């Protein structure tokens, strides 16, 4: 398999692996490793100890620090229940668009990154290039941190990371952080006619949710911080998207479950927000325990993705700006792996082809024009690494 594949051929291969986050991605990683090996590129893996998932990383060029790192995730969101007009796991070209699950988010970029690495190998770059392909991004960015830890002792440390989430090839230098806490309220069941002796888990849970409503309103009315100003909305938001609990309309609910999610603007931290939430939880728990001592509220962290803070004269941003000609400043409100790379000490930026509006949709697509723009970007990047 020494044949060199085009970016489109690479994307067709990657899309054909149905790497929905709940399923394995190992066949895709095996294929990428074999393809790289056929071009004399050695790849390395992070092997998840608990589930059949691998991350892959590789280095091309002089064995020294300072590489540009191209990073993408290999998992995709499910297609269940979505009305697709074509096979989601086959790239279908129509009307100037490539349709298929992951074409936009983000196997299109993964394909371009693999293309660039092989190109860099053949032209013999003077500055190294690395790729890092993760898993479990779509279920809370849980795959990248162990991959980043595994990369560091194996590869020379990279300098700047380009995370190719769809940004229409704009340089996105900031995003909000995200964290979520599964909240379990254990109340005490009695017939609702005796509700003063029971602890209704749903009604006490509602106090926490109302705290979220009041906090959102207060955040909205406050003057935004300097780093927060660029965001829409320019403040931290609290959100409950799912709730369950109770057994019958005339029984005080014994249990209530929901997830409290925080989207935190740069300049504020998850730790501060967690502390505030825990304080309110402790207060509500005290009210419950005054009625029935064995009741409780339990929190468990479901995900935690740090914010990406715009860097002052950051290397990743400077590089991407010079390759794209984009000199405006952009931030987004969705979380990515870029904040995790930044937290691990890399300069990081988001820049990838396609429109985030297409991500996760039925009939997901990337336009040929965006895919071509991504290809042009990679050509210029490899050229730059030769100088
Ligand atoms: Zn993505």
């Amino acid at each position: 398999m020494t044949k060199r594949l085009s970016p489109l051929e690479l994307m067709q291969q990657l899309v054909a692996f149905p790497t929905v986050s709940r399923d394995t991605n190992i066949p895709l990683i095996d294929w990428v490793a074999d393809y790289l090996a056929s071009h004399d590129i050695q790849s390395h893996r992070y092997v998840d100890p608990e589930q059949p998932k691998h991350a892959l990383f590789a280095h091309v060029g002089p064995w020294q620090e300072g590489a540009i790192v191209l990073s993408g995730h290999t998992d995709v969101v499910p297609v269940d229940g979505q009305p697709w007009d074509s096979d989601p796991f086959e790239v279908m070209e129509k009307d100037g668009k490539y349709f298929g699950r992951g074409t936009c988010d983000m196997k299109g970029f993964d394909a371009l990154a693999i293309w660039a690495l092989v190109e860099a190998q053949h032209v013999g770059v003077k500055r190294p290039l690395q790729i890092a392909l993760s898993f479990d991004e779509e279920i809370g960015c849980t795959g990248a941190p162990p991959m980043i830890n595994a990369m560091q002792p194996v590869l020379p440390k990279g300098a700047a990371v380009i995370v190719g989430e769809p940004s229409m090839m704009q340089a996105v230098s900031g995003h909000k952080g995200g964290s979520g806490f599964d909240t379990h309220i254990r109340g005490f069941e009695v017939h609702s006619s005796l509700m003063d002796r029971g602890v209704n888990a749903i009604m006490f849970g509602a106090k926490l949710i109302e705290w979220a409503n009041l906090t959102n309103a207060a955040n909205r009315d406050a003057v935004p911080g300097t780093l927060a100003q660029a965001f829409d909305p320019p403040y931290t938001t609290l959100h409950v998207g799912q709730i369950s609990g109770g057994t019958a309309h005339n029984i005080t609910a014994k249990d209530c479950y929901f997830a409290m999610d925080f989207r935190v603007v740069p300049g504020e931290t998850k730790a501060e927000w967690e502390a505030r939430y825990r304080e309110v939880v402790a207060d509500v728990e005290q009210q419950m325990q005054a009625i029935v001592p064995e009741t409780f509220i339990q929190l468990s962290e479901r995900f935690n993705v740090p914010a990406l803070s715009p860097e002052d004269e950051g290397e990743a941003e400077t590089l991407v700006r010079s390759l794209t000609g984009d000199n405006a400043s952009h931030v987004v409100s969705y979380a990515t792996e870029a904040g995790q790379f930044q937290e691990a000490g890399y300069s990081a930026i988001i820049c990838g082809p396609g429109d985030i509006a297409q991500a996760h949709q039925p009939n997901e697509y990337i336009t040929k024009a965006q895919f071509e723009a991504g290809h042009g970007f990679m050509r210029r990047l490899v050229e730059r690494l030769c100088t």
Side-chain angles (χ1 to χ4, degrees):
M1 199 173 52
T2 45
K3 184 176 179 289
R4 282 169 75 174
L5 301 180
S6 69
L8 176 59
E9 288 167 327
L10 286 163
M11 178 166 73
Q12 287 166 335
Q13 291 285 343
L14 298 181
V15 169
F17 293 100
T19 51
V20 175
S21 308
R22 63 173 175 246
D23 300 320
T24 182
N25 73 336
I26 296 174
L28 179 150
I29 294 293
D30 286 344
W31 185 89
V32 174
D34 286 348
Y35 179 69
L36 295 180
S38 76
H39 293 281
D40 299 320
I41 300 170
Q42 188 194 359
S43 57
H44 309 266
R45 297 188 194 209
Y46 166 72
V47 174
D48 190 301
E50 272 153 27
Q51 48 172 356
K53 311 252 178 94
H54 292 176
L56 178 146
F57 43 94
H59 176 104
V60 154
W63 193 255
Q64 63 190 38
E65 295 193 352
I68 304 303
V69 186
L70 301 174
S71 172
H73 59 82
T74 59
D75 58 319
V76 293
V77 295
V79 296
D80 312 69
Q82 291 187 338
W84 280 75
D85 298 331
S86 63
D87 179 353
F89 299 107
E90 192 179 320
V91 175
M92 203 258 308
E93 182 185 341
K94 198 183 161 195
D95 302 332
K97 296 168 182 163
Y98 298 121
F99 291 87
R101 173 54 88 225
T103 47
C104 172
D105 184 15
M106 57 183 292
K107 288 175 169 176
F109 178 85
D110 294 342
L112 292 165
I114 294 166
W115 179 88
L117 197 74
V118 170
E119 183 72 8
Q121 168 82 341
H122 284 276
V123 300
V125 286
K126 290 194 185 133
R127 185 179 175 181
L129 182 67
Q130 296 179 353
I131 60 166
L133 300 176
S134 71
F135 57 85
D136 282 359
E137 192 273 349
E138 296 291 2
I139 52 175
C141 296
T142 51
M147 173 187 74
I148 296 168
N149 281 338
M151 275 169 75
Q152 298 202 331
V154 176
L155 301 185
K157 170 109 194 207
V161 181
I162 301 169
V163 174
E165 289 285 348
S167 74
M168 296 297 282
M169 296 311 296
Q170 291 182 328
V172 172
S173 57
H175 65 62
K176 292 186 182 183
S179 59
F181 296 90
D182 284 323
T183 304
H184 173 201
I185 296 146
R186 166 58 60 82
F188 186 76
E189 252 182 348
V190 293
H191 189 273
S192 60
S193 62
L194 304 169
M195 68 173 279
D196 61 317
R197 290 168 225 180
V199 175
N200 187 322
I202 293 175
M203 294 178 78
F204 278 94
K207 295 186 182 212
L208 298 178
I209 296 172
E210 182 56 7
W211 170 75
N213 284 323
L214 295 172
T215 306
N216 282 331
N219 287 356
R220 188 190 56 223
D221 293 344
V223 179
T226 342
L227 287 171
Q229 273 167 14
F231 288 88
D232 179 20
Y235 51 86
T236 295
T237 52
L238 285 60
H239 184 253
V240 175
Q242 259 186 330
I243 187 164
S244 64
T247 48
H249 77 97
N250 57 359
I251 301 173
T252 60
K254 184 178 170 194
D255 291 294
C256 176
Y257 303 88
F258 56 83
M260 180 70 76
D261 290 353
F262 297 82
R263 286 190 183 270
V264 181
V265 289
E268 296 175 7
T269 65
K270 173 239 174 191
E272 291 162 30
W273 282 101
E274 177 175 352
R276 287 184 64 177
Y277 186 43
R278 286 192 184 276
E279 204 174 300
V280 180
V281 164
D283 180 48
V284 172
E285 190 178 54
Q286 222 169 38
Q287 298 170 31
M288 293 162 58
Q289 289 175 345
I291 306 165
V292 178
E294 56 268 36
T295 58
F296 60 82
I297 303 176
Q298 208 168 44
L299 299 186
S300 55
E301 183 177 294
R302 198 157 45 86
F303 67 94
N304 172 29
V305 190
L308 176 66
S309 299
E311 301 165 10
D312 208 14
E313 309 273 315
E315 178 169 1
E317 182 170 355
T318 307
L319 172 75
V320 167
R321 286 190 187 291
S322 75
L323 291 172
T324 58
D326 177 19
N327 284 316
S329 325
H330 309 278
V331 296
V332 292
S333 282
Y334 54 87
T336 76
E337 296 171 336
Q340 297 171 321
F341 276 101
Q342 190 177 57
E343 197 175 57
Y346 297 84
S347 173
I349 190 114
I350 301 165
C351 182
D355 186 340
I356 191 70
Q358 286 308 315
H360 305 188
Q361 299 297 311
N363 300 323
E364 174 180 347
Y365 66 81
I366 188 167
T367 63
K368 286 175 85 165
Q370 272 294 301
F371 195 59
E372 262 315 303
H375 191 188
F377 175 88
M378 293 298 177
R379 270 195 296 256
R380 291 191 295 280
L381 172 64
V382 172
E383 254 167 50
R384 183 70 61 90
L385 296 176
C386 289
T387 56

